[in-house]
Amino acid sequence: VEPWSCSRCSGWSGFLPPAPPRPAGPPPCLLRVTTYNCGDRRLTHPKYQWSTTATQLSLYSNDITSIPSGSFTGLTALQQLFLFSNDITSVPTGSFTGLDALRHLYLYSNEITSVPTGSFTG
């Protein structure tokens, strides 16, 4: 097992199995095997290639304005999703499709003005 660290993360590095190659993400986050802490990283969208074993995803206090459909595709183990304190104005249909294990969704302190029917199905 090779050491893993994140050059722009603070406070943690450890040993994880080698990760598969990733596209331009995930962003520089604090990763603890099944938890991504990407709070206050100036992210503008949530759509990255997150690990399918993630159980907690913290995207609070960023610059996210929308949640494109399919942003969380494949995250079937995700139980907690923190999206509070962003600039989200709407939650489009299909935003949270496939999040079967999701138990806690935090959307407070946003600018949400519309939530169409179907935004929370699936």
Side-chain angles (χ1 to χ4, degrees):
V1 176
E2 296 180 15
W4 176 90
S5 66
C6 177
S7 61
R8 290 179 36 191
C9 297
S10 60
W12 190 85
S13 66
F15 291 91
L16 295 175
R22 298 184 185 272
C29 304
L30 182 60
L31 172 63
R32 291 198 171 129
V33 185
T34 62
T35 299
Y36 285 96
N37 184 354
C38 302
D40 200 22
R41 301 275 193 245
R42 296 187 177 178
L43 304 179
T44 57
H45 62 87
K47 200 167 185 172
Y48 292 93
Q49 186 179 348
W50 308 107
S51 169
T52 57
T53 61
T55 58
Q56 181 177 317
L57 180 54
S58 298
L59 298 170
Y60 58 86
S61 299
N62 281 293
D63 298 320
I64 298 170
T65 58
S66 66
I67 305 167
S69 182
S71 293
F72 306 109
T73 299
L75 299 182
T76 56
L78 192 66
Q79 297 174 11
Q80 296 183 70
L81 179 55
F82 298 87
L83 290 165
F84 62 86
S85 297
N86 278 285
D87 298 315
I88 299 168
T89 57
S90 66
V91 180
T93 301
S95 294
F96 303 105
T97 299
L99 298 181
D100 300 330
L102 191 65
R103 298 294 174 256
H104 303 278
L105 174 62
Y106 301 90
L107 287 169
Y108 61 88
S109 295
N110 280 289
E111 304 296 324
I112 298 172
T113 57
S114 76
V115 180
T117 303
S119 295
F120 297 98
T121 60

